[in-house]
Amino acid sequence: MGFGGISIWQLVIVLVIVLLLFGTKRLKNIGGDLGSAIKGFKKSMSEGEKQEDKQDQIEKSEGTTIDGEVSSKEKEKR
């Protein structure tokens, strides 16, 4: 018993048919393209998480802003 009721021999036959249809060179190119796409996806996901972490740190480090006025005595000191 293989995967979900498919035997090993059926998988081998499907693999042989795919190799005959596409050829090894084309399958190698497809595999390389798929691998680079997955690598790019993982990279963009990690960059997105880093940006979220930076944004969270900025929001935590920022305090509250208090509006105020400068009195005439402080203006004269300058």
Side-chain angles (χ1 to χ4, degrees):
M1 185 70 60
F3 302 100
I6 300 174
S7 71
I8 299 295
W9 289 110
Q10 291 171 334
L11 290 174
V12 170
I13 291 170
V14 169
L15 179 64
V16 169
I17 291 172
V18 168
L19 283 174
L20 289 174
L21 287 175
F22 294 108
T24 56
K25 187 175 182 181
R26 190 176 228 181
L27 286 177
K28 181 181 175 186
N29 291 339
I30 292 172
D33 292 342
L34 183 63
S36 63
I38 291 172
K39 186 186 290 185
F41 178 75
K42 286 182 179 180
K43 182 180 176 184
S44 64
M45 290 297 292
S46 66
E47 287 176 358
E49 289 175 358
K50 288 179 185 177
Q51 287 179 348
E52 287 178 5
D53 291 341
K54 279 185 178 180
Q55 188 66 25
D56 289 343
Q57 288 176 351
I58 290 171
E59 289 175 357
K60 287 179 183 177
S61 67
E62 291 178 351
T64 57
T65 304
I66 301 173
D67 292 329
E69 292 181 11
V70 177
S71 66
S72 61
K73 291 181 183 178
E74 290 179 4
K75 286 183 182 178
E76 291 174 4
K77 289 180 182 178
R78 292 184 188 178

